[in-house]
Amino acid sequence: MVDKPMSIHRTRFPFSITKLLFWSLILLSFIVLFFLGSPPSSASPSHRRRSLRGGDWETSVRESAKSKSLRVLVTGAAGFVGTHVSIALKRRGDGVVGIDNFNRYYEASLKRARSNLLAQHKIFVVEGDINDGSLLKSLFKLGKFTHVMHLAAQAGVRYAMKNPKSYVHSNIAGLVSVLEACKNANPQPAVVWASSSSVYGLNSKVPFSEKDRTDRPASLYAASKKAGEEIAHTYNHIYGLSITGLRFFTVYGPWGRPDMAYFFFTKDILKGKQISVFEGPNGRSVARDFTYIDDIVKGCLGALDTANRSTGSGPAQLRLYNLGNTSPVAVSKLVRILEKLLKVNANKKLLPMPPNGDVFFTHADISLAKKELGYNPTIDLETGLRKFLDWYMDYYSSSSSLPKRAW
């Protein structure tokens, strides 16, 4: 890796006591929730300890991380974005080690299938929790990582109303755990991590710019990601960690998440079930800046490749970027595209959007990512959905309830 001149890109907002008090209360609430309990994991601690014994595990980590270029620890490696980023890194010759706890937020079988795909690319994935400090310490000692791609998180806006503690466990405590491990590692890695477009919350100004206010979250998920950005600032300021945050905008594509609208719309349309399409006030369309996974991966690799080294102390690189498609599409149009590609008419029910933390509109200003990361999304929604449906029909073809391919 070639040393680059030190550059500092900081997004600054006017300071006020009110904002400081607000975020102090938010963080205090997270801490209280965290100590009240933590969500269950798919693997017990004793199972994870048994799976990590012996020299074979250590050898696998070393071999998977080996590279003359980047050596990257990918957290949430069996997740949607994590799988694609890991494979892209490995294909170009970087060393990659993954970690994932395979939780039960959505079907674990899909995560296992992604893990098998990673194994085919000779990427070793450790089954464990990012809150396990001793495990992270061992991984850093073995892997000597130059970079961390931190993608592990509790995703989803609506799920926060059912299990708020999981967001504290993964998005707050988990981030702190990862940054602590990075702080104490030798060498200290550069960190790239997934924030979210949700931090823009109740903003009405579009497109969303990194300079816009982010102090009005509409959901606990958004608040946890905003808190993560403040935590990242702290570790950068005190410990000299090079940190880049990426605000993803509605990522979709093959191997995606079943809790996303494009995914469960496809499933329900094929089964003839009614789908709920939400509308804003006065019948206003709900729209999203849908961004295809390959474009997101290019942005992630661009962030890794332009990350400066951590300094250990003193000024270090601190960056935030939007990664979107910058072409918002109404959810009603998403449904029409699915109907066209599936050759099936959806049984639609239009409903007012409930107060569940969702926002009506997202639109990314990607000018900064274009300028500094070379980010240039190229996949339109119809092309991306066709690629997703090709994968979906193949992946679920063994299900007796899935209709045969329509084209």
Side-chain angles (χ1 to χ4, degrees), residues 74-310:
V74 179
T75 70
F80 173 31
V81 179
T83 295
H84 284 272
V85 170
S86 296
I87 291 173
L89 288 168
K90 197 70 173 181
R91 279 176 173 167
R92 70 178 198 174
D94 295 321
V96 183
V97 175
I99 179 172
D100 204 291
N101 69 352
F102 296 88
N103 67 21
R104 299 187 295 271
Y105 172 56
Y106 57 79
E107 56 189 81
S109 60
L110 179 57
K111 297 178 182 181
R112 296 293 176 187
R114 295 191 194 118
S115 182
N116 292 337
L117 182 64
L118 293 174
Q120 292 173 24
H121 287 83
K122 301 187 184 305
I123 299 170
F124 185 67
V125 179
V126 176
E127 182 167 354
D129 197 303
I130 56 173
N131 284 287
D132 186 339
S134 61
L135 172 59
L136 291 182
K137 182 178 180 180
S138 297
L139 282 173
F140 276 92
K141 183 177 180 180
L142 292 167
K144 301 293 183 183
F145 301 112
T146 61
H147 295 72
V148 170
M149 188 77 220
H150 177 48
L151 298 168
Q154 176 58 63
V157 169
R158 302 173 193 175
Y159 185 62
M161 300 180 73
K162 296 181 179 179
N163 188 4
K165 296 175 185 177
S166 64
Y167 292 80
V168 181
H169 179 79
S170 296
N171 301 359
I172 304 298
L175 176 61
V176 170
S177 179
V178 169
L179 293 178
E180 279 290 306
C182 293
K183 175 196 77 175
N184 295 323
N186 184 17
Q188 276 189 340
V191 181
V192 178
W193 73 287
S195 183
S196 170
S197 63
S198 295
V199 300
Y200 292 110
L202 301 178
N203 272 7
S204 57
K205 171 190 167 294
V206 290
F208 298 150
S209 165
E210 293 88 348
K211 296 179 181 179
D212 292 342
R213 65 184 299 183
T214 54
D215 60 351
R216 297 188 297 169
S219 66
L220 181 60
Y221 169 70
S224 72
K225 286 297 187 177
K226 172 58 179 176
E229 292 183 356
E230 301 300 318
I231 291 168
H233 181 280
T234 302
Y235 275 80
N236 168 267
H237 174 68
I238 298 176
Y239 302 113
L241 285 179
S242 170
I243 303 179
T244 302
L246 303 176
R247 293 172 174 171
F248 295 158
F249 282 71
T250 316
V251 190
Y252 73 100
W255 296 99
R257 282 174 26 212
D259 64 317
M260 299 292 285
Y262 74 93
F263 202 117
F264 62 75
F265 279 172
T266 297
K267 178 181 178 181
D268 290 343
I269 290 172
L270 287 172
K271 291 186 175 182
K273 292 184 177 181
Q274 187 178 78
I275 63 172
S276 297
V277 180
F278 295 129
E279 294 182 321
N282 302 315
R284 188 178 70 178
S285 295
V286 173
R288 292 289 181 270
D289 199 344
F290 295 101
T291 312
Y292 189 65
I293 182 62
D294 288 359
D295 289 327
I296 289 291
V297 169
K298 291 175 184 176
C300 291
L301 268 58
L304 288 167
D305 290 341
T306 57
N308 291 344
R309 291 183 176 181
S310 294

Side-chain angles (χ1 to χ4, degrees), residues 381-397:
L381 183 58
E382 183 167 338
T383 301
L385 285 176
R386 183 177 290 278
K387 292 173 181 289
F388 163 72
L389 291 175
D390 283 342
W391 167 82
Y392 184 94
M393 301 299 270
D394 288 337
Y395 182 78
Y396 289 102
S397 61

Side-chain angles (χ1 to χ4, degrees), residues 321-336:
Y321 298 103
N322 289 335
L323 294 187
N325 193 54
T326 199
S327 299
V329 177
V331 175
S332 57
K333 183 176 180 179
L334 164 71
V335 174
R336 290 197 298 272

Side-chain angles (χ1 to χ4, degrees), residues 269 335-346 348:
I269 290 172
V335 174
R336 290 197 298 272
I337 295 173
L338 288 174
E339 289 177 313
K340 173 185 174 182
L341 296 177
L342 292 170
K343 296 181 171 61
V344 178
N345 291 326
K348 302 181 289 288

